[in-house]
């Protein structure tokens, strides 16, 4: 066998060895809820990266239940089947104790959408040993949304705003809500006339907006942290005979429904989010760590986009090839 053949054989052996080693890894994706469209898109990214890396993955349904998800982490650690976890946390603070135990058991853990720990505005790992965070500071996105509303309201006095937030009991939604209040509250012409807790549910948001319209049919703005909630609000507005093209309707998430509504002129804007990219970066971070490779402590989701964070019709016209990462 000549030198070239020996080198090729050695390279092939190394490649096969790496592939076999990677195939031994099993990574669990702990969805906040496997029925949620955003979580399904993160899962899509996890699967995409897993296929490229030759890793086995499995999804667990957290059912929007923080206690259930905490138990899932405990069960994974006790079972010893998985070497890695990618999690979309229901309770970004409470889950930290379970994640600490997973790390002690040498399970590599990555978090998506939100950092894990008491500070939602800090992307650097707050739990010692956490592999990586792929998320963004919720307050930054909320401020960008509120600033856009301020611009719209500039020549209106009063400018009446209805806010739809997921649930104020969630730390991340509470931070967003406080940011909305702070930014809008600095302008005397802006009046927050109502707040609806939409729970990321079109039906609940529709019912909440119907209640708002009984007292405030003259609203100018609907500001929502989630596109799903704005879907329900739009139905309520249309049922009330209100032309939504005359209002400022802001969603969050940049799903396909939102992009279509903006293109059609029914909605004004949405805050961009990239769930598939989150899943890919998180899974790759876990596998890199398992293979002993350097892993970034965090990746700011807002740095991954190819368009501005606030997506409007103007942005879409300037970027005709833009495609959202989830359907909604």
């Amino acid at each position: 066998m000549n030198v070239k053949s020996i080198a090729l054989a050695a390279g092939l052996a190394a490649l096969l060895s790496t592939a076999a080693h990677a195939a031994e890894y099993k990574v669990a994706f702990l969805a906040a809820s496997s029925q949620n469209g955003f979580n399904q898109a993160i899962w899509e990214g996890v699967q995409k990266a897993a296929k490229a890396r030759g890793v086995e993955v499995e999804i667990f349904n957290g059912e929007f239940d923080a206690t259930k998800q905490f138990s899932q982490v405990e069960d994974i650690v006790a079972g010893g089947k998985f070497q890695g976890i990618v999690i979309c946390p229901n309770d970004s603070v409470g889950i930290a104790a379970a994640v600490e135990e997973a790390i002690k058991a040498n399970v590599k853990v990555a978090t998506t959408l939100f950092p894990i720990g008491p500070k939602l505005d800090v992307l650097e790992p707050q739990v010692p040993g956490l592999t990586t965070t792929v998320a963004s500071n919720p307050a930054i996105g909320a401020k960008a949304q509120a600033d856009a509303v301020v611009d719209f309201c500039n020549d209106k006095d009063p400018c009446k705003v209805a806010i739809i937030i997921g649930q104020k009991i969630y730390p991340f939604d509470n931070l967003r809500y406080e940011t909305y209040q702070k930014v809008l509250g600095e302008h005397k012409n802006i009046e927050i006339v109502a707040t609806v807790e939409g729970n990321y549910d079109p039906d609940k948001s529709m019912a909440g907006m119907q209640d708002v319209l009984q007292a405030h049919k003259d609203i100018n703005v609907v500001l929502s942290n989630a596109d799903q909630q704005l879907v329900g609000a739009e139905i309520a507005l249309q049922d009330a005979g209100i032309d939504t093209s005359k209002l400022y309707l802001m969603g969050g998430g940049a799903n396909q429904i939102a992009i279509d509504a903006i293109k059609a002129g029914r909605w004004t804007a949405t805050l961009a989010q990239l769930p598939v990219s989150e899943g890919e970066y998180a899974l790759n971070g876990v596998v890199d760590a398992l293979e002993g490779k350097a892993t970034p402590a965090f990746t700011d989701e807002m740095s991954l986009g190819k368009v501005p964070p606030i997506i409007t019709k103007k942005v879409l016209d300037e970027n005709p090839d833009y495609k959202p990462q989830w359907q909604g």
Side-chain angles (χ1 to χ4, degrees):
M1 184 179 289
N2 60 33
V3 174
K4 184 176 182 181
S5 297
I6 293 173
L8 286 172
L12 179 60
L15 181 62
L16 291 173
S17 175
T18 300
H21 185 55
E24 295 173 0
Y25 294 138
K26 295 180 174 62
V27 179
F29 172 55
L30 274 56
S33 168
S34 62
Q35 305 305 310
N36 173 265
F38 195 91
N39 278 247
Q40 289 170 1
I42 297 175
W43 172 231
E44 179 184 337
V46 168
Q47 291 176 295
K48 183 178 177 181
K51 183 177 181 181
R53 300 295 293 269
V55 175
E56 184 179 336
V57 290
E58 183 178 336
I59 188 171
F60 291 76
N61 183 8
E63 299 178 6
F64 283 134
D65 184 331
T67 301
K68 182 179 183 66
Q69 194 173 62
F70 194 102
S71 296
Q72 288 173 338
V73 177
E74 291 181 318
D75 291 344
I76 286 171
V77 172
K81 176 183 175 182
F82 297 93
Q83 293 75 49
I85 294 173
V86 173
I87 186 169
C88 183
N90 276 315
D91 180 354
S92 56
V93 178
I95 198 69
V99 168
E100 287 176 355
E101 293 305 309
I103 293 168
K104 288 178 183 176
N106 203 32
V107 178
K108 306 300 182 184
V109 182
T111 181
T112 61
L113 189 57
F114 302 114
I116 289 176
K119 298 179 180 178
L120 280 164
D121 56 352
V122 175
L123 298 184
E124 292 87 351
Q126 299 166 55
V127 178
L130 185 75
T131 297
T132 192
T133 296
V134 188
S136 60
N137 179 348
I140 292 177
K143 184 178 185 305
Q145 288 182 294
D147 284 342
V149 170
V150 169
D151 289 343
F152 171 79
C153 289
N154 187 50
D155 59 352
K156 294 175 176 58
D157 190 3
C159 189
K160 298 186 177 182
V161 179
I163 293 174
I164 308 181
I165 199 73
Q167 282 195 33
K168 286 184 282 186
I169 193 173
Y170 295 152
F172 42 84
D173 278 343
N174 191 50
L175 178 57
R176 288 170 172 145
Y177 185 58
E178 288 177 349
T179 303
Y180 291 158
Q181 289 181 306
K182 181 178 184 300
V183 174
L184 300 181
E186 292 173 352
H187 301 270
K188 293 182 179 180
N189 65 310
I190 297 178
E191 181 183 353
I192 300 174
V193 297
T195 297
V196 173
E197 292 187 85
N199 199 30
Y200 300 91
D201 183 330
D203 291 337
K204 188 168 184 178
S205 301
M206 178 181 67
M209 182 54 62
Q210 288 171 336
D211 291 340
V212 171
L213 292 174
Q214 290 182 10
H216 304 286
K217 200 170 182 178
D218 58 344
I219 60 172
N220 305 103
V221 176
V222 179
L223 170 58
S224 171
N225 70 294
D227 292 333
Q228 307 97 303
Q229 296 167 164
L230 199 55
V231 169
E234 180 185 24
I235 294 171
L237 290 163
Q238 290 174 338
D239 287 348
I242 297 172
D243 183 356
T244 60
S245 68
K246 305 297 184 183
L247 307 182
Y248 191 95
L249 301 187
M250 164 74 80
N255 64 30
Q256 186 67 60
I257 294 171
I259 298 306
D260 290 344
I262 293 168
K263 286 181 177 179
R266 303 194 323 271
W267 296 12
T268 312
T270 185
L271 176 68
Q273 287 187 273
L274 304 164
V276 175
S277 295
E278 286 185 26
E280 288 185 86
Y281 273 73
L283 190 282
N284 279 321
V286 166
V287 177
D288 283 345
L290 288 168
E291 294 180 348
K293 299 176 183 176
T295 304
F298 68 90
T299 300
D300 188 340
E301 180 198 13
M302 296 189 78
S303 71
L304 303 177
K306 296 181 180 179
V307 298
I310 300 298
I311 299 178
T312 62
K313 190 173 188 305
K314 182 176 182 293
V315 169
L316 295 175
D317 288 343
E318 293 172 350
N319 297 272
D321 297 328
Y322 172 81
K323 293 182 179 179
Q325 289 195 354
W326 61 301
Q327 294 301 308

